[in-house]
Amino acid sequence: MQVVAVDLGGTNVRFAIADVAGGKVTSIAPEVTLHTADYASFALAWGAFEEKAGSKLPRAVVIAIAAPIEGDAIKLTNNPWVIRPSALKQELDVDDFLLINDFGAVAYAVAAVEPHDLHHLCGPDEPLPATGVISVVGPGTGLGVALILRDASGLHVIETEGGHGDFAPLDVIEDAILALARQRYRRVSNERIVSGPGLSEIYQALAQRDGRAVVPGDDKTLWTAALEGSDPHAAAALDRFCLSLGAVAGDLALEHGAHGVVIAGGLGLRLKDRLALSGFAERFTAKGRFERRMASIPVKLITYPQPGLLGAAAAYAKRVG
């Protein structure tokens, strides 16, 4: 059967039509991306996608939403759309729908992609485990965390709020980062540091420590300067970001009892080459008495270009069998 897969974020909404059979995604068409600001509601964007498709859409839809899937009015963070599950069948003219969290969809994608879509970062260069727990960690606008559990009963994806654990500094530089962030936030979570906006927190702390006054620009400009190396202080902040990501990913793997870890998220692919050359691996394994265990965990980075759409379709395929 066919299903419309949707990845609904604050800035863009992406659509694709997927074929599913036997509990798996057998094919997925190239995505169509629309800007949410161009449409007053999701239903209007849906109609625009149908026009672009040139034919009636499948009678089933799965929507990965950047918001908790709770209640009968799901409000997105960065646009005014409201998704009302009780009205979806009528608004979209469909017979069936499934709503999932956007990072839950990424975890389903991790379980569905081919081995060549998982770039090896550190640990033993071997496939992810066929059974047990895999932690999925995704720095982006925030810090997404999910678990994949494979056991005798099959595949399970567990969505969490693991990105909101407390940030734990490991040296005097991170003490300074925490101290500065604490001036703005009563509680400093991992997401405040290990996310897109977190680079600015690190950048400002490093500048203050060096006795420099800085006026940080927007996040996009800072990330570009850091990745290009055009601003040495921004590049230093990015190196520190990679250290913190390694430490947080290792903490989560230890807490989850994971035997595999996958880095995803909006920043994951941009960091593909940088992570391997940073202190990410050393921080990931630096867990005291558990260092040997941490060194035995394969850590990958998902390179599939639109994991949210694939994962949404995979979640629906699993439900219909």
Short mmCIF file of all heavy atoms in Angstrom, two decimals, residues 47-117:
data_model
loop_
_atom_site.label_atom_id
_atom_site.label_comp_id
_atom_site.label_asym_id
_atom_site.label_seq_id
_atom_site.Cartn_x
_atom_site.Cartn_y
_atom_site.Cartn_z
N GLY A 47 -2.90 20.49 0.54
CA GLY A 47 -3.51 20.72 -0.77
C GLY A 47 -2.50 21.14 -1.81
O GLY A 47 -2.58 20.72 -2.98
N ALA A 48 -1.52 21.96 -1.42
CA ALA A 48 -0.48 22.38 -2.36
C ALA A 48 0.37 21.19 -2.79
O ALA A 48 0.76 21.08 -3.96
CB ALA A 48 0.39 23.45 -1.72
N PHE A 49 0.66 20.29 -1.87
CA PHE A 49 1.42 19.09 -2.23
C PHE A 49 0.62 18.22 -3.20
O PHE A 49 1.17 17.69 -4.17
CB PHE A 49 1.78 18.29 -0.98
CG PHE A 49 2.40 16.95 -1.27
CD1 PHE A 49 3.59 16.85 -1.97
CD2 PHE A 49 1.77 15.78 -0.85
CE1 PHE A 49 4.16 15.61 -2.25
CE2 PHE A 49 2.33 14.54 -1.13
CZ PHE A 49 3.52 14.46 -1.83
N GLU A 50 -0.68 18.09 -2.96
CA GLU A 50 -1.50 17.30 -3.86
C GLU A 50 -1.50 17.89 -5.27
O GLU A 50 -1.43 17.16 -6.26
CB GLU A 50 -2.94 17.22 -3.33
CG GLU A 50 -3.83 16.28 -4.12
CD GLU A 50 -5.13 15.99 -3.41
OE1 GLU A 50 -5.82 16.97 -3.04
OE2 GLU A 50 -5.47 14.80 -3.23
N GLU A 51 -1.53 19.22 -5.36
CA GLU A 51 -1.45 19.86 -6.68
C GLU A 51 -0.13 19.53 -7.36
O GLU A 51 -0.09 19.25 -8.56
CB GLU A 51 -1.61 21.37 -6.53
CG GLU A 51 -3.03 21.84 -6.24
CD GLU A 51 -3.13 23.35 -6.23
OE1 GLU A 51 -2.19 24.01 -6.73
OE2 GLU A 51 -4.14 23.86 -5.73
N LYS A 52 0.96 19.58 -6.61
CA LYS A 52 2.27 19.27 -7.18
C LYS A 52 2.36 17.81 -7.60
O LYS A 52 3.02 17.46 -8.58
CB LYS A 52 3.38 19.61 -6.18
CG LYS A 52 3.58 21.10 -5.93
CD LYS A 52 4.67 21.35 -4.91
CE LYS A 52 4.87 22.83 -4.67
NZ LYS A 52 5.39 23.53 -5.86
N ALA A 53 1.69 16.92 -6.82
CA ALA A 53 1.70 15.49 -7.16
C ALA A 53 0.93 15.22 -8.45
O ALA A 53 1.21 14.24 -9.15
CB ALA A 53 1.12 14.68 -6.00
N GLY A 54 -0.07 16.05 -8.74
CA GLY A 54 -0.82 15.91 -9.98
C GLY A 54 -1.86 14.82 -9.97
O GLY A 54 -2.41 14.50 -11.03
N SER A 55 -2.14 14.24 -8.81
CA SER A 55 -3.17 13.20 -8.71
C SER A 55 -3.63 13.11 -7.26
O SER A 55 -3.01 13.69 -6.36
CB SER A 55 -2.63 11.85 -9.19
OG SER A 55 -1.54 11.44 -8.38
N LYS A 56 -4.69 12.37 -7.05
CA LYS A 56 -5.18 12.18 -5.68
C LYS A 56 -4.11 11.47 -4.85
O LYS A 56 -3.44 10.56 -5.32
CB LYS A 56 -6.46 11.34 -5.68
CG LYS A 56 -7.66 12.08 -6.23
CD LYS A 56 -8.09 13.22 -5.30
CE LYS A 56 -8.71 12.70 -4.00
NZ LYS A 56 -9.14 13.81 -3.12
N LEU A 57 -4.00 11.91 -3.62
CA LEU A 57 -2.99 11.33 -2.72
C LEU A 57 -3.49 10.03 -2.11
O LEU A 57 -4.71 9.78 -2.06
CB LEU A 57 -2.65 12.33 -1.62
CG LEU A 57 -1.98 13.63 -2.07
CD1 LEU A 57 -1.80 14.58 -0.89
CD2 LEU A 57 -0.64 13.35 -2.75
N PRO A 58 -2.57 9.17 -1.65
CA PRO A 58 -2.98 7.96 -0.93
C PRO A 58 -3.90 8.30 0.24
O PRO A 58 -3.87 9.42 0.78
CB PRO A 58 -1.66 7.37 -0.45
CG PRO A 58 -0.65 7.89 -1.43
CD PRO A 58 -1.11 9.26 -1.80
N ARG A 59 -4.67 7.32 0.67
CA ARG A 59 -5.67 7.55 1.71
C ARG A 59 -5.12 7.33 3.12
O ARG A 59 -5.88 7.21 4.08
CB ARG A 59 -6.85 6.61 1.49
CG ARG A 59 -7.50 6.73 0.13
CD ARG A 59 -8.38 7.94 0.00
NE ARG A 59 -9.47 7.93 0.98
CZ ARG A 59 -10.35 8.91 1.13
NH1 ARG A 59 -10.24 10.00 0.37
NH2 ARG A 59 -11.32 8.82 2.02
N ALA A 60 -3.81 7.32 3.25
CA ALA A 60 -3.18 7.16 4.57
C ALA A 60 -2.03 8.15 4.67
O ALA A 60 -1.37 8.46 3.66
CB ALA A 60 -2.67 5.74 4.76
N VAL A 61 -1.80 8.66 5.89
CA VAL A 61 -0.73 9.63 6.10
C VAL A 61 -0.08 9.37 7.45
O VAL A 61 -0.74 8.98 8.42
CB VAL A 61 -1.27 11.08 6.03
CG1 VAL A 61 -2.35 11.33 7.06
CG2 VAL A 61 -0.13 12.09 6.20
N VAL A 62 1.23 9.56 7.50
CA VAL A 62 1.97 9.51 8.76
C VAL A 62 2.75 10.82 8.86
O VAL A 62 3.41 11.23 7.92
CB VAL A 62 2.91 8.29 8.83
CG1 VAL A 62 3.82 8.18 7.62
CG2 VAL A 62 3.74 8.33 10.12
N ILE A 63 2.61 11.49 10.01
CA ILE A 63 3.19 12.81 10.17
C ILE A 63 4.16 12.80 11.35
O ILE A 63 3.76 12.49 12.48
CB ILE A 63 2.11 13.89 10.42
CG1 ILE A 63 1.00 13.78 9.38
CG2 ILE A 63 2.73 15.28 10.39
CD1 ILE A 63 -0.20 14.70 9.65
N ALA A 64 5.42 13.12 11.08
CA ALA A 64 6.41 13.30 12.13
C ALA A 64 6.43 14.78 12.50
O ALA A 64 6.69 15.62 11.64
CB ALA A 64 7.79 12.85 11.65
N ILE A 65 6.16 15.07 13.76
CA ILE A 65 5.94 16.45 14.19
C ILE A 65 6.99 16.85 15.21
O ILE A 65 7.28 16.10 16.15
CB ILE A 65 4.53 16.61 14.80
CG1 ILE A 65 3.47 16.14 13.82
CG2 ILE A 65 4.28 18.07 15.20
CD1 ILE A 65 2.05 16.18 14.38
N ALA A 66 7.52 18.06 15.05
CA ALA A 66 8.51 18.58 15.99
C ALA A 66 7.81 19.14 17.22
O ALA A 66 7.84 20.35 17.50
CB ALA A 66 9.35 19.66 15.31
N ALA A 67 7.16 18.26 17.95
CA ALA A 67 6.43 18.64 19.16
C ALA A 67 6.01 17.35 19.87
O ALA A 67 5.93 16.28 19.25
CB ALA A 67 5.19 19.46 18.81
N PRO A 68 5.74 17.42 21.16
CA PRO A 68 5.20 16.24 21.85
C PRO A 68 3.83 15.88 21.27
O PRO A 68 3.01 16.75 20.99
CB PRO A 68 5.07 16.71 23.31
CG PRO A 68 5.98 17.89 23.43
CD PRO A 68 5.98 18.54 22.08
N ILE A 69 3.60 14.58 21.09
CA ILE A 69 2.32 14.11 20.54
C ILE A 69 1.37 13.88 21.71
O ILE A 69 1.25 12.78 22.26
CB ILE A 69 2.51 12.83 19.70
CG1 ILE A 69 3.64 13.03 18.70
CG2 ILE A 69 1.21 12.46 19.01
CD1 ILE A 69 3.43 14.17 17.72
N GLU A 70 0.71 14.95 22.10
CA GLU A 70 -0.16 14.91 23.29
C GLU A 70 -1.40 15.75 23.05
O GLU A 70 -1.32 16.84 22.46
CB GLU A 70 0.58 15.45 24.52
CG GLU A 70 1.81 14.66 24.91
CD GLU A 70 2.62 15.32 26.03
OE1 GLU A 70 2.32 16.48 26.38
OE2 GLU A 70 3.52 14.67 26.55
N GLY A 71 -2.54 15.27 23.54
CA GLY A 71 -3.77 16.05 23.52
C GLY A 71 -4.37 16.17 22.14
O GLY A 71 -3.92 15.55 21.17
N ASP A 72 -5.39 17.00 22.02
CA ASP A 72 -6.10 17.17 20.75
C ASP A 72 -5.78 18.50 20.08
O ASP A 72 -6.49 18.94 19.20
CB ASP A 72 -7.62 17.05 20.96
CG ASP A 72 -8.34 16.82 19.64
OD1 ASP A 72 -7.84 16.01 18.82
OD2 ASP A 72 -9.38 17.47 19.41
N ALA A 73 -4.72 19.15 20.52
CA ALA A 73 -4.27 20.37 19.85
C ALA A 73 -2.76 20.41 19.97
O ALA A 73 -2.20 20.83 20.98
CB ALA A 73 -4.90 21.61 20.48
N ILE A 74 -2.09 19.93 18.93
CA ILE A 74 -0.62 19.86 18.93
C ILE A 74 -0.08 21.13 18.30
O ILE A 74 -0.25 21.37 17.10
CB ILE A 74 -0.14 18.61 18.17
CG1 ILE A 74 -0.73 17.34 18.81
CG2 ILE A 74 1.38 18.55 18.14
CD1 ILE A 74 -0.49 16.09 18.00
N LYS A 75 0.56 21.95 19.12
CA LYS A 75 1.06 23.25 18.67
C LYS A 75 2.55 23.15 18.40
O LYS A 75 3.32 22.70 19.24
CB LYS A 75 0.81 24.30 19.76
CG LYS A 75 1.39 25.67 19.45
CD LYS A 75 0.63 26.36 18.34
CE LYS A 75 1.12 27.81 18.16
NZ LYS A 75 2.51 27.87 17.63
N LEU A 76 2.95 23.58 17.21
CA LEU A 76 4.38 23.59 16.87
C LEU A 76 5.06 24.78 17.50
O LEU A 76 4.44 25.81 17.76
CB LEU A 76 4.57 23.60 15.35
CG LEU A 76 4.44 22.23 14.70
CD1 LEU A 76 2.99 21.89 14.43
CD2 LEU A 76 5.23 22.19 13.40
N THR A 77 6.35 24.63 17.73
CA THR A 77 7.10 25.67 18.44
C THR A 77 7.32 26.90 17.59
O THR A 77 7.14 28.03 18.06
CB THR A 77 8.46 25.11 18.90
OG1 THR A 77 8.24 23.96 19.71
CG2 THR A 77 9.22 26.14 19.70
N ASN A 78 7.70 26.73 16.33
CA ASN A 78 8.17 27.86 15.53
C ASN A 78 7.24 28.27 14.39
O ASN A 78 7.67 28.97 13.48
CB ASN A 78 9.56 27.55 14.97
CG ASN A 78 10.58 27.38 16.07
OD1 ASN A 78 10.60 28.16 17.02
ND2 ASN A 78 11.42 26.37 15.96
N ASN A 79 6.01 27.80 14.39
CA ASN A 79 5.04 28.35 13.44
C ASN A 79 3.65 28.22 14.04
O ASN A 79 3.44 27.48 15.01
CB ASN A 79 5.16 27.67 12.06
CG ASN A 79 4.53 26.29 11.99
OD1 ASN A 79 3.40 26.09 12.42
ND2 ASN A 79 5.25 25.32 11.44
N PRO A 80 2.68 28.95 13.52
CA PRO A 80 1.37 29.01 14.17
C PRO A 80 0.44 27.85 13.89
O PRO A 80 -0.70 27.85 14.36
CB PRO A 80 0.79 30.33 13.61
CG PRO A 80 1.42 30.47 12.26
CD PRO A 80 2.81 29.90 12.40
N TRP A 81 0.90 26.87 13.14
CA TRP A 81 0.01 25.75 12.83
C TRP A 81 -0.36 24.97 14.09
O TRP A 81 0.46 24.79 15.00
CB TRP A 81 0.68 24.78 11.86
CG TRP A 81 0.87 25.32 10.48
CD1 TRP A 81 0.55 26.56 10.01
CD2 TRP A 81 1.48 24.63 9.39
NE1 TRP A 81 0.91 26.69 8.70
CE2 TRP A 81 1.48 25.52 8.28
CE3 TRP A 81 2.03 23.36 9.23
CZ2 TRP A 81 2.00 25.16 7.04
CZ3 TRP A 81 2.55 23.01 8.01
CH2 TRP A 81 2.53 23.90 6.92
N VAL A 82 -1.57 24.46 14.09
CA VAL A 82 -2.04 23.57 15.14
C VAL A 82 -2.57 22.32 14.47
O VAL A 82 -3.40 22.40 13.54
CB VAL A 82 -3.15 24.23 16.00
CG1 VAL A 82 -3.67 23.23 17.05
CG2 VAL A 82 -2.62 25.48 16.68
N ILE A 83 -2.11 21.16 14.90
CA ILE A 83 -2.59 19.88 14.37
C ILE A 83 -3.61 19.32 15.35
O ILE A 83 -3.30 19.10 16.53
CB ILE A 83 -1.44 18.88 14.18
CG1 ILE A 83 -0.33 19.48 13.30
CG2 ILE A 83 -1.95 17.56 13.58
CD1 ILE A 83 -0.76 19.82 11.89
N ARG A 84 -4.84 19.10 14.87
CA ARG A 84 -5.91 18.55 15.70
C ARG A 84 -6.21 17.13 15.22
O ARG A 84 -6.87 16.96 14.18
CB ARG A 84 -7.15 19.43 15.63
CG ARG A 84 -6.92 20.80 16.27
CD ARG A 84 -8.19 21.65 16.25
NE ARG A 84 -7.99 22.86 17.02
CZ ARG A 84 -7.42 23.97 16.55
NH1 ARG A 84 -6.96 24.00 15.30
NH2 ARG A 84 -7.29 25.04 17.31
N PRO A 85 -5.73 16.13 15.95
CA PRO A 85 -5.91 14.75 15.48
C PRO A 85 -7.35 14.37 15.18
O PRO A 85 -7.62 13.66 14.21
CB PRO A 85 -5.35 13.91 16.64
CG PRO A 85 -4.34 14.82 17.28
CD PRO A 85 -4.91 16.19 17.17
N SER A 86 -8.29 14.87 15.98
CA SER A 86 -9.69 14.48 15.78
C SER A 86 -10.26 14.99 14.46
O SER A 86 -11.28 14.49 13.99
CB SER A 86 -10.53 15.00 16.95
OG SER A 86 -10.49 16.42 17.00
N ALA A 87 -9.62 15.99 13.87
CA ALA A 87 -10.14 16.58 12.63
C ALA A 87 -9.35 16.17 11.40
O ALA A 87 -9.72 16.54 10.28
CB ALA A 87 -10.16 18.10 12.75
N LEU A 88 -8.26 15.42 11.57
CA LEU A 88 -7.35 15.18 10.45
C LEU A 88 -8.00 14.38 9.31
O LEU A 88 -7.79 14.71 8.13
CB LEU A 88 -6.10 14.43 10.94
CG LEU A 88 -4.92 15.30 11.40
CD1 LEU A 88 -3.77 14.42 11.83
CD2 LEU A 88 -4.48 16.28 10.32
N LYS A 89 -8.75 13.36 9.62
CA LYS A 89 -9.33 12.55 8.54
C LYS A 89 -10.21 13.39 7.63
O LYS A 89 -10.14 13.28 6.39
CB LYS A 89 -10.13 11.39 9.14
CG LYS A 89 -9.29 10.28 9.72
CD LYS A 89 -10.16 9.11 10.17
CE LYS A 89 -9.31 7.96 10.70
NZ LYS A 89 -10.14 6.81 11.12
N GLN A 90 -11.01 14.26 8.24
CA GLN A 90 -11.90 15.10 7.44
C GLN A 90 -11.11 16.17 6.69
O GLN A 90 -11.35 16.41 5.50
CB GLN A 90 -12.93 15.76 8.35
CG GLN A 90 -13.92 16.64 7.60
CD GLN A 90 -14.98 17.22 8.52
OE1 GLN A 90 -15.06 16.88 9.70
NE2 GLN A 90 -15.81 18.11 7.98
N GLU A 91 -10.15 16.83 7.36
CA GLU A 91 -9.41 17.92 6.73
C GLU A 91 -8.57 17.44 5.55
O GLU A 91 -8.43 18.14 4.54
CB GLU A 91 -8.50 18.59 7.76
CG GLU A 91 -9.23 19.43 8.78
CD GLU A 91 -8.27 20.08 9.76
OE1 GLU A 91 -7.07 19.68 9.79
OE2 GLU A 91 -8.70 20.97 10.50
N LEU A 92 -7.99 16.24 5.67
CA LEU A 92 -7.09 15.74 4.63
C LEU A 92 -7.76 14.74 3.70
O LEU A 92 -7.13 14.32 2.72
CB LEU A 92 -5.86 15.08 5.29
CG LEU A 92 -5.09 15.92 6.31
CD1 LEU A 92 -3.87 15.15 6.80
CD2 LEU A 92 -4.69 17.27 5.73
N ASP A 93 -8.97 14.35 4.01
CA ASP A 93 -9.69 13.35 3.23
C ASP A 93 -8.89 12.05 3.16
O ASP A 93 -8.58 11.53 2.08
CB ASP A 93 -9.99 13.87 1.82
CG ASP A 93 -10.94 12.96 1.05
OD1 ASP A 93 -11.72 12.22 1.70
OD2 ASP A 93 -10.92 12.97 -0.20
N VAL A 94 -8.56 11.51 4.35
CA VAL A 94 -7.84 10.25 4.44
C VAL A 94 -8.63 9.28 5.31
O VAL A 94 -9.53 9.68 6.07
CB VAL A 94 -6.42 10.44 5.01
CG1 VAL A 94 -5.58 11.29 4.08
CG2 VAL A 94 -6.47 11.06 6.41
N ASP A 95 -8.28 8.01 5.20
CA ASP A 95 -8.94 6.98 6.01
C ASP A 95 -8.15 6.61 7.25
O ASP A 95 -8.71 6.09 8.21
CB ASP A 95 -9.14 5.71 5.16
CG ASP A 95 -10.00 5.96 3.94
OD1 ASP A 95 -10.98 6.73 4.05
OD2 ASP A 95 -9.69 5.40 2.87
N ASP A 96 -6.84 6.87 7.23
CA ASP A 96 -6.00 6.46 8.35
C ASP A 96 -4.85 7.44 8.49
O ASP A 96 -4.36 7.99 7.50
CB ASP A 96 -5.44 5.05 8.09
CG ASP A 96 -4.75 4.47 9.32
OD1 ASP A 96 -5.14 4.82 10.46
OD2 ASP A 96 -3.81 3.67 9.14
N PHE A 97 -4.42 7.65 9.75
CA PHE A 97 -3.26 8.52 9.99
C PHE A 97 -2.52 8.03 11.22
O PHE A 97 -3.07 7.35 12.08
CB PHE A 97 -3.68 9.99 10.16
CG PHE A 97 -4.43 10.28 11.44
CD1 PHE A 97 -3.74 10.62 12.60
CD2 PHE A 97 -5.81 10.23 11.47
CE1 PHE A 97 -4.43 10.88 13.78
CE2 PHE A 97 -6.50 10.50 12.64
CZ PHE A 97 -5.81 10.83 13.80
N LEU A 98 -1.25 8.41 11.28
CA LEU A 98 -0.41 8.13 12.44
C LEU A 98 0.42 9.37 12.70
O LEU A 98 1.00 9.95 11.77
CB LEU A 98 0.51 6.93 12.14
CG LEU A 98 1.58 6.61 13.21
CD1 LEU A 98 0.93 6.17 14.51
CD2 LEU A 98 2.53 5.53 12.69
N LEU A 99 0.49 9.79 13.96
CA LEU A 99 1.31 10.91 14.37
C LEU A 99 2.44 10.40 15.25
O LEU A 99 2.19 9.63 16.18
CB LEU A 99 0.48 11.94 15.15
CG LEU A 99 -0.76 12.50 14.46
CD1 LEU A 99 -1.47 13.49 15.38
CD2 LEU A 99 -0.42 13.14 13.13
N ILE A 100 3.67 10.83 14.97
CA ILE A 100 4.80 10.45 15.80
C ILE A 100 5.68 11.67 16.02
O ILE A 100 5.64 12.64 15.26
CB ILE A 100 5.63 9.29 15.19
CG1 ILE A 100 6.27 9.72 13.86
CG2 ILE A 100 4.78 8.05 15.01
CD1 ILE A 100 7.24 8.68 13.32
N ASN A 101 6.49 11.62 17.04
CA ASN A 101 7.47 12.68 17.29
C ASN A 101 8.55 12.65 16.21
O ASN A 101 8.91 11.59 15.71
CB ASN A 101 8.08 12.48 18.68
CG ASN A 101 9.21 13.44 18.97
OD1 ASN A 101 10.36 13.09 18.78
ND2 ASN A 101 8.88 14.64 19.40
N ASP A 102 9.06 13.83 15.86
CA ASP A 102 10.02 13.89 14.76
C ASP A 102 11.30 13.13 15.05
O ASP A 102 11.89 12.51 14.16
CB ASP A 102 10.33 15.34 14.38
CG ASP A 102 11.01 16.13 15.50
OD1 ASP A 102 10.80 15.81 16.69
OD2 ASP A 102 11.74 17.08 15.20
N PHE A 103 11.76 13.13 16.30
CA PHE A 103 12.99 12.39 16.57
C PHE A 103 12.73 10.89 16.71
O PHE A 103 13.61 10.08 16.44
CB PHE A 103 13.73 12.94 17.79
CG PHE A 103 15.19 12.61 17.75
CD1 PHE A 103 16.04 13.28 16.88
CD2 PHE A 103 15.73 11.60 18.52
CE1 PHE A 103 17.37 12.96 16.78
CE2 PHE A 103 17.06 11.27 18.45
CZ PHE A 103 17.89 11.95 17.57
N GLY A 104 11.51 10.53 17.10
CA GLY A 104 11.14 9.13 17.03
C GLY A 104 11.23 8.62 15.60
O GLY A 104 11.67 7.49 15.35
N ALA A 105 10.84 9.48 14.65
CA ALA A 105 10.95 9.11 13.24
C ALA A 105 12.40 8.89 12.84
O ALA A 105 12.72 7.96 12.09
CB ALA A 105 10.31 10.19 12.36
N VAL A 106 13.30 9.74 13.34
CA VAL A 106 14.72 9.57 13.03
C VAL A 106 15.21 8.21 13.54
O VAL A 106 15.98 7.52 12.86
CB VAL A 106 15.54 10.71 13.64
CG1 VAL A 106 17.04 10.44 13.51
CG2 VAL A 106 15.20 12.03 12.95
N ALA A 107 14.76 7.82 14.72
CA ALA A 107 15.17 6.51 15.25
C ALA A 107 14.65 5.37 14.38
O ALA A 107 15.37 4.39 14.12
CB ALA A 107 14.67 6.36 16.69
N TYR A 108 13.42 5.48 13.90
CA TYR A 108 12.91 4.46 12.98
C TYR A 108 13.76 4.42 11.70
O TYR A 108 13.99 3.34 11.13
CB TYR A 108 11.45 4.75 12.61
CG TYR A 108 10.45 4.19 13.60
CD1 TYR A 108 9.75 5.03 14.45
CD2 TYR A 108 10.20 2.82 13.67
CE1 TYR A 108 8.83 4.53 15.36
CE2 TYR A 108 9.28 2.30 14.57
CZ TYR A 108 8.60 3.17 15.42
OH TYR A 108 7.69 2.65 16.31
N ALA A 109 14.22 5.58 11.26
CA ALA A 109 15.06 5.62 10.06
C ALA A 109 16.39 4.91 10.31
O ALA A 109 16.88 4.18 9.45
CB ALA A 109 15.31 7.06 9.63
N VAL A 110 16.97 5.12 11.48
CA VAL A 110 18.23 4.45 11.81
C VAL A 110 18.06 2.94 11.70
O VAL A 110 18.96 2.23 11.21
CB VAL A 110 18.69 4.85 13.22
CG1 VAL A 110 19.84 3.94 13.70
CG2 VAL A 110 19.13 6.31 13.25
N ALA A 111 16.91 2.45 12.15
CA ALA A 111 16.67 1.00 12.10
C ALA A 111 16.38 0.51 10.69
O ALA A 111 16.49 -0.69 10.42
CB ALA A 111 15.49 0.66 13.01
N ALA A 112 16.02 1.44 9.77
CA ALA A 112 15.61 1.03 8.43
C ALA A 112 16.67 1.20 7.37
O ALA A 112 16.60 0.55 6.31
CB ALA A 112 14.36 1.83 8.02
N VAL A 113 17.67 2.06 7.58
CA VAL A 113 18.63 2.36 6.51
C VAL A 113 19.58 1.20 6.26
O VAL A 113 19.74 0.30 7.10
CB VAL A 113 19.44 3.64 6.81
CG1 VAL A 113 18.54 4.84 6.87
CG2 VAL A 113 20.24 3.48 8.10
N GLU A 114 20.23 1.26 5.12
CA GLU A 114 21.24 0.27 4.76
C GLU A 114 22.56 0.60 5.47
O GLU A 114 22.80 1.74 5.86
CB GLU A 114 21.46 0.27 3.25
CG GLU A 114 20.23 -0.09 2.43
CD GLU A 114 19.76 -1.52 2.70
OE1 GLU A 114 20.62 -2.38 3.00
OE2 GLU A 114 18.55 -1.77 2.59
N PRO A 115 23.43 -0.40 5.64
CA PRO A 115 24.71 -0.15 6.32
C PRO A 115 25.51 1.00 5.72
O PRO A 115 26.20 1.72 6.44
CB PRO A 115 25.44 -1.49 6.19
CG PRO A 115 24.35 -2.51 6.10
CD PRO A 115 23.24 -1.83 5.34
N HIS A 116 25.43 1.20 4.40
CA HIS A 116 26.23 2.26 3.79
C HIS A 116 25.71 3.65 4.15
O HIS A 116 26.38 4.66 3.88
CB HIS A 116 26.29 2.10 2.27
CG HIS A 116 24.96 2.26 1.58
ND1 HIS A 116 24.22 1.18 1.14
CD2 HIS A 116 24.24 3.36 1.25
CE1 HIS A 116 23.11 1.61 0.58
NE2 HIS A 116 23.10 2.93 0.64
N ASP A 117 24.52 3.74 4.77
CA ASP A 117 23.99 5.02 5.23
C ASP A 117 24.42 5.35 6.65
O ASP A 117 23.99 6.35 7.21
CB ASP A 117 22.46 5.01 5.17
CG ASP A 117 21.93 4.94 3.74
OD1 ASP A 117 22.43 5.71 2.91
OD2 ASP A 117 21.05 4.11 3.47
#
